[in-house]
Each structure stands twice: as structure tokens, then as C-alpha cells.
């Protein structure tokens, strides 16, 4: 089942945007997700309305398929 993934464009590099665009998920770039404290402090994505924080955005993307099982 495809998930809905949102990210703040100020928190994500151009390379990562390209990686997110290749995902088999609904991915939406937002100008602001109103989670500025988390956005400044660490890597995060919002997956199906829930914030997911991780060591890096790459780790978060790698873990997306595991979450659906």
C-alpha cells in the first residue's frame, strides 16, 4: 500500500528530492510543515501524517518498505 510522504523543502537537499521523487509513494514537497524544532534539529519526514525522525533522510527512505510489511 502506497503511503503519503511529506517533507519540508528547507530540510531536504536537491539529491534527496530526486530520491524521493523515485519512490513508489505519494510524495509531496511542502514549503513548511510547521515542525520547525524538529526540522532544524534532525532529519525527518511525515509519513501518513506521523513524523518520522532518523539519523539521516537516506535511513528514513530505506526504512519505508519495512514499515509496510
Amino acid at each position: 500500500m502506497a503511503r503519503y510522504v511529506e517533507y519540508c523543502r528547507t530540510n531536504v537537499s536537491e539529491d534527496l528530492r530526486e530520491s524521493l521523487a523515485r519512490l513508489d509513494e505519494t510524495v509531496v514537497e511542502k514549503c513548511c510543515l510547521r515542525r520547525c524544532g524538529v526540522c532544524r534539529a534532525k532529519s525527518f519526514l511525515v509519513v501518513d501524517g506521523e513524523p518520522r525522525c532518523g539519523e539521516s533522510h537516506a535511513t528514513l527512505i530505506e526504512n519505508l518498505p519495512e514499515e509496510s510489511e
Side-chain angles (χ1 to χ4, degrees):
M1 177 178 174
R3 286 174 297 263
Y4 188 79
V5 179
E6 299 170 283
Y7 66 92
C8 180
R9 76 173 152 199
T10 61
N11 187 268
V12 174
S13 69
E14 183 63 36
D15 290 339
L16 186 65
R17 286 185 190 110
E18 292 173 11
S19 295
L20 287 164
R22 289 191 293 269
L23 291 176
D24 189 27
E25 311 286 350
T26 301
V27 179
V28 178
E29 177 184 89
K30 299 279 186 146
C31 114
C32 183
L33 292 171
R34 298 190 173 267
R35 300 172 193 271
C36 298
V38 173
C39 188
R40 279 187 223 117
K42 53 180 106 176
S43 300
F44 86 103
L45 300 172
V46 177
V47 181
D48 293 331
E50 294 184 33
R52 306 285 171 99
C53 299
E55 189 176 302
S56 70
H57 285 104
T59 302
L60 290 168
I61 291 170
E62 289 171 12
N63 290 332
L64 283 174
E66 295 171 9
E67 294 172 6
S68 65
E69 296 174 356

